[in-house]
């Protein structure tokens, strides 16, 4: 792959991407594609043998502009936040676990302590709940299944207001934020919605299973039906991965 086929290997254009392709901001996908092909015919090094006036820099600019504007999601981000919005999206997409941990460790002492407390709580949950379940199955405990899973319900109940209120806090004064801050706020709100949905589906399945185990024959649903929220979550996750695969295929081909 060379610099004309991969815009990341060349300088990004400083001009407006619509101006680079010579189209209006409300141009259709076919108009954008046609404009790019016209520029490519005149400037791509593999197709300009008879055109000595072709310019490599124009081809690099056009290729980057087409890569962004032909992708509906990236085009929407560019229309709202410009190049800054795209940069933020790329930074969030390339964020690794090591970078996230380093970012947390570089924060204020109070924020680090909060993160460590949450991490310790998760570790305790992973140890205590399986232990209680094992004792319940062995008959060593006479608790209800809701009692056995109490260590899980307490943090879920405490975190519910966070998932409900966090998007409102992130989107506060949204109109007065810079494009970069708006992109970050959108990512934070989306993260809260995604995590909240995942936790909600998991909690729904566990609640149905506990209710079934405590209620016995008086409960109408089966244990298989208890997994429906988890199956819905897995289906949504699969669709998300499929969408990413389709986008990747469009960018490559």
């Amino acid at each position: 792959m060379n610099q004309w086929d991969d815009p990341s290997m060349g300088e990004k254009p400083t001009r407006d991407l619509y101006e680079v392709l010579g189209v209006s901001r409300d141009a259709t996908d076919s108009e954008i594609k046609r404009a790019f092909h016209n520029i490519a015919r005149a400037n791509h090094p593999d197709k300009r043998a008879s055109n000595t006036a072709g310019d490599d820099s124009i081809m690099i600019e056009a290729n980057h502009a087409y890569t962004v504007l032909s992708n509906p999601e990236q085009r929407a981000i560019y229309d709202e936040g410009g190049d800054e919005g795209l940069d933020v999206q790329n930074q969030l997409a390339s964020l690794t676990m090591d970078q996230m941990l380093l970012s947390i460790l570089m924060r204020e002492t109070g924020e680090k302590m909060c993160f460590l407390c949450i991490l310790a709580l998760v570790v305790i949950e992973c140890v205590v709940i399986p232990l209680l379940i094992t004792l319940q199955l062995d008959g060593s405990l006479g608790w209800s299944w809701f009692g056995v899973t109490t260590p899980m319900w307490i943090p879920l109940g405490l975190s519910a207001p966070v998932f409900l209120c966090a998007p409102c806090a992130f989107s506060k004064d949204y109109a007065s934020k810079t494009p970069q801050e708006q992109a970050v706020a959108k990512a934070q709100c989306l993260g809260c919605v995604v995590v909240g949905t995942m936790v909600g589906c998991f909690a729904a399945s566990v609640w149905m299973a506990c209710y079934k185990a405590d209620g016995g024959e008086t409960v109408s649903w089966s244990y298989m039906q208890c997994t429906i929220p988890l199956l819905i979550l897995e289906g949504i996750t699969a669709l998300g991965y499929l969408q990413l695969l389709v986008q990747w295929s469009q960018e490559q081909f």
Side-chain angles (χ1 to χ4, degrees), residues 3-247:
Q3 62 181 348
W4 297 280
D5 297 323
D6 185 3
S8 64
M9 299 178 67
E11 294 294 331
K12 291 184 178 180
T14 56
R15 294 188 293 158
D16 180 82
L17 299 187
Y18 292 97
E19 180 184 342
V20 170
L21 295 181
V23 296
S24 62
R25 300 189 74 87
D26 58 351
T28 63
D29 292 341
S30 59
E31 290 174 339
I32 291 174
K33 186 175 183 179
R34 191 183 310 115
F36 172 72
H37 285 171
N38 290 337
I39 295 175
R41 277 194 295 268
N43 295 278
H44 197 286
D46 295 339
K47 299 180 180 180
R48 67 169 193 235
S50 60
N51 180 19
T52 57
D55 192 336
D56 294 345
S57 62
I58 293 178
M59 189 61 227
I60 294 173
E61 281 190 335
N63 198 53
H64 173 70
Y66 179 70
T67 300
V68 173
L69 299 183
S70 62
N71 184 308
E73 291 188 3
Q74 290 193 12
R75 182 178 180 180
I77 293 173
Y78 178 78
D79 288 343
E80 186 166 350
D83 290 323
E84 289 185 355
L86 291 174
D87 291 339
V88 171
Q89 184 208 31
N90 293 333
Q91 291 172 5
L92 293 174
S94 61
L95 191 63
T96 64
M97 183 60 69
D98 292 340
Q99 291 172 330
M100 291 175 63
L101 292 175
L102 180 61
S103 175
I104 293 171
L105 293 176
M106 292 177 64
R107 293 182 177 273
E108 299 293 334
T109 303
E111 294 178 345
K112 285 191 291 188
M113 291 301 297
C114 181
F115 170 76
L116 292 176
C117 289
I118 294 175
L119 182 61
L121 179 62
V122 171
V123 173
I124 293 173
E125 294 277 327
C126 292
V127 174
V128 172
I129 292 180
L131 178 62
L132 293 178
I133 291 175
T134 303
L135 293 174
Q136 178 77 350
L137 293 174
D138 286 341
S140 302
L141 297 177
W143 301 356
S144 69
W145 281 100
F146 279 109
V148 171
T149 55
T150 296
M152 182 190 73
W153 297 115
I154 292 176
L156 285 179
L158 294 175
S159 62
V162 175
F163 289 120
L164 293 174
C165 299
C168 297
F170 291 140
S171 60
K172 184 179 180 181
D173 299 328
Y174 181 82
S176 61
K177 296 179 182 291
T178 64
Q180 184 173 1
E181 292 173 339
Q182 289 179 350
V184 171
K186 280 186 176 181
Q188 291 172 331
C189 291
L190 180 60
C192 286
V193 172
V194 171
V195 175
T197 302
M198 295 173 62
V199 172
C201 290
F202 174 75
S205 285
V206 175
W207 183 89
M208 292 176 68
C210 290
Y211 198 80
K212 172 68 175 177
D214 289 339
E217 299 299 328
T218 62
V219 179
S220 60
W221 59 73
S222 65
Y223 283 110
M224 186 62 188
Q225 290 174 318
C226 295
T227 63
I228 290 177
L230 288 179
L231 295 176
I232 293 174
L233 176 61
E234 290 179 0
I236 296 174
T237 304
L239 289 176
Y241 282 117
L242 181 61
Q243 182 181 10
L244 291 176
L245 179 61
V246 171
Q247 291 179 357

